Amino acid sequence: MSSPRSSDERAYAALRAEAVVDLDAISANVSRLRAHVDNRDVLAVVKADGYGHGIIQSARAARVGGAGWLGVALISEALQLRAAGDTGPVLCWLTVPGERYADAIAAHVELAVYSVDQLGEIDSAARQVGRRVGIHLKLDSGLGRGGATPDDWGPLIEAAAFAQESGAIEVTGVFSHLACADEPSHPSVKAQVTEFEAGVSRALEAGLEPRHLHLANSPATLALPDTWWTMVRPGIAIFGLSPFADGLSPVLLEPAMTLRARLALVKRVPPGQGISYGHTYITTRETTLGLVPIGYADGVPRSASNQGEVLVRGQRFRMVGRVCMDQFVIDLGDAEAAAGDPVVIFGDPRRGEPSALDWANAAGTIGYEIVTRIGPRIPRSYRSAVT
Ligand SMILES: *Cc1c(COP(=O)(O)O)cnc(C)c1O
């Protein structure tokens, strides 16, 4: 990664642009989500560098807010958390054959298991390390992605019960993942809940005693109490973004990330001026242009060309022309502005700023992709009174 390392470098890079992350917002979001699920366990998902917010800082803030568990996709992410001193429960759920299972087991990371083959590999790694490993069996209750199908579930729970008897493995959890929780009345939700219920019953009948039963991602945590079981797994919601298309949430979510930049140039142009590559926008009158010095290499989606809005001196202005690799242009009309002025690309709509969801809508994507793809040239800086 080419992220600036020293604080001098960071401050220098921040002259151009920075992502400011409010860690107290993450803690408060976790704490409110936990209250919303009647104090069930919360597994805060901090994969993909904490959805672009910084995995280590986000993990700490989530723990402060009451996350008993952290969830990541990759073993390397789990080991990053351990290297930074996190000693609490961590679940990792995406591995390939030949994975560094021994390192994960030695670091007390619990592992999701999708298949009998994977179980065998983890069992031998645990024997080699000489430590029992906690595993969470994953049922594909209908997402059609990872996990064992209901047909393959029988052999998987049998093999897990056998491995547990022989000592190297302990089945601490059973879980699944929802396909359409962001549309709470979608019929697949009920079908998946029923399938999960059946899978849990079969696991209990096979003699397993998983303490952690979990199904709920952010939308389910917010809107589907039937999916809460013993633990919920919110990701995007802890970063303060609603997973729903309408951007609403029954729990107050504070966006943790503000992406800002400073105008590189402000200039007057005549009518008829084509703007940026391809001249997809042409001025209709004399106007003032502002040059925003971040582009698609920094995560500004090119598909938001001519659509995205930013805030300058308390007013919203629209991007004109195409987003380039390093920059884009806004039409300031006749507003007062100067090079060096701060520009908020997205932040908290309660402050009048565009939201990451506004950008997602402008680009035809979801808020998750907007925050997760902020590039390595943008330094992150952190604000917190608590963490
Ligand atoms: C990413 C992920 C989550 C979190 O999803 P959100 O929609 O961000 O809440 C939960 N569980 C699993 C298995 C995931 O991969």
Side-chain angles (χ1 to χ4, degrees):
M1 296 280 272
S2 61
S3 309
R5 275 147 217 266
S6 72
S7 56
D8 272 3
E9 269 180 80
R10 234 186 340 266
Y12 187 66
L15 275 180
R16 177 181 76 110
E18 66 177 338
V20 181
V21 178
D22 179 350
L23 296 174
D24 297 343
I26 297 175
S27 302
N29 292 331
V30 169
S31 159
R32 280 188 293 261
L33 290 165
R34 182 144 190 259
H36 179 68
V37 298
D38 303 326
N39 288 318
R40 283 172 175 76
D41 288 334
V42 171
L43 178 152
V45 181
V46 293
K47 62 192 178 187
D49 201 23
Y51 289 49
H53 296 67
I55 183 170
I56 303 304
Q57 296 84 350
S58 304
R60 277 194 201 122
R63 292 284 196 206
V64 168
W69 283 75
L70 298 175
V72 291
L74 312 184
I75 287 180
S76 57
E77 295 174 324
L79 296 177
Q80 242 184 306
L81 292 170
R82 290 297 186 242
D86 188 283
T87 56
V90 171
L91 176 65
C92 164
W93 54 68
L94 188 61
T95 59
V96 294
E99 195 73 70
R100 288 188 285 165
Y101 287 124
D103 292 351
I105 294 165
H108 258 270
V109 172
E110 302 210 0
L111 296 163
V113 174
Y114 297 4
S115 73
V116 173
D117 285 351
Q118 186 196 7
L119 182 76
E121 229 187 306
I122 291 172
D123 185 65
S124 36
R127 286 167 196 286
Q128 183 200 324
V129 174
R131 173 182 265 175
R132 210 157 195 236
V133 56
I135 63 167
H136 296 226
L137 298 175
K138 181 158 191 199
L139 174 69
D140 181 357
S141 62
L143 174 59
R145 199 177 74 179
T149 64
D151 281 351
D152 295 338
W153 188 241
L156 181 60
I157 56 183
E158 294 300 327
F162 183 79
Q164 183 162 279
E165 286 283 299
S166 63
I169 271 173
E170 183 185 0
V171 177
T172 55
V174 167
F175 78 112
S176 188
H177 196 37
L178 293 164
C180 307
D182 57 333
E183 301 167 58
S185 59
H186 194 286
S188 68
V189 173
K190 252 201 178 73
Q192 285 198 258
V193 168
T194 306
E195 197 67 60
F196 185 64
E197 237 157 26
V200 170
S201 301
R202 287 168 74 192
L204 298 177
E205 283 157 23
L208 299 174
E209 294 170 327
R211 292 188 293 284
H212 308 292
L213 305 173
H214 46 110
L215 181 58
N217 53 3
S218 292
T221 300
L222 292 168
L224 294 164
D226 285 355
T227 65
W228 291 347
W229 297 80
T230 72
M231 179 156 85
V232 295
R233 298 192 311 270
I236 196 73
I238 76 169
F239 299 104
L241 297 185
S242 166
F244 301 112
D246 63 10
L248 299 177
S249 165
V251 174
L252 172 65
L253 300 176
E254 295 174 67
M257 185 190 286
T258 303
L259 178 63
R260 42 185 216 208
R262 290 169 67 238
L263 288 177
L265 177 71
V266 170
K267 66 183 179 189
R268 265 326 250 184
V269 296
Q273 172 69 57
I275 307 293
S276 191
Y277 293 130
H279 279 180
T280 59
Y281 181 86
I282 297 171
T283 57
T284 52
R285 59 193 167 88
E286 186 180 315
T287 191
T288 300
L289 301 179
L291 185 63
V292 182
I294 64 172
Y296 60 77
D298 304 299
V300 179
R302 188 171 178 276
S303 51
S305 293
N306 281 306
Q307 303 283 332
E309 288 188 354
V310 302
L311 195 78
V312 179
R313 297 193 185 191
Q315 250 187 290
R316 299 274 280 254
F317 297 99
R318 195 163 58 86
M319 170 203 295
V320 286
R322 284 202 186 130
V323 177
C324 309
M325 187 181 290
D326 317 298
Q327 47 198 303
F328 65 87
V329 177
I330 56 175
D331 188 347
L332 291 159
D334 295 324
E336 285 290 322
D341 277 358
V343 183
V344 178
I345 291 88
F346 62 78
D348 193 336
R350 290 174 308 172
R351 293 190 297 255
E353 299 160 353
S355 68
L357 296 177
D358 293 336
W359 276 88
N361 291 332
T365 183
I366 51 177
Y368 297 68
E369 198 178 353
I370 299 297
V371 289
T372 304
R373 298 186 73 172
I374 300 303
R377 297 195 302 190
I378 305 287
R380 272 64 165 174
S381 69
Y382 294 93
R383 302 276 182 277
S384 173
V386 184
T387 320

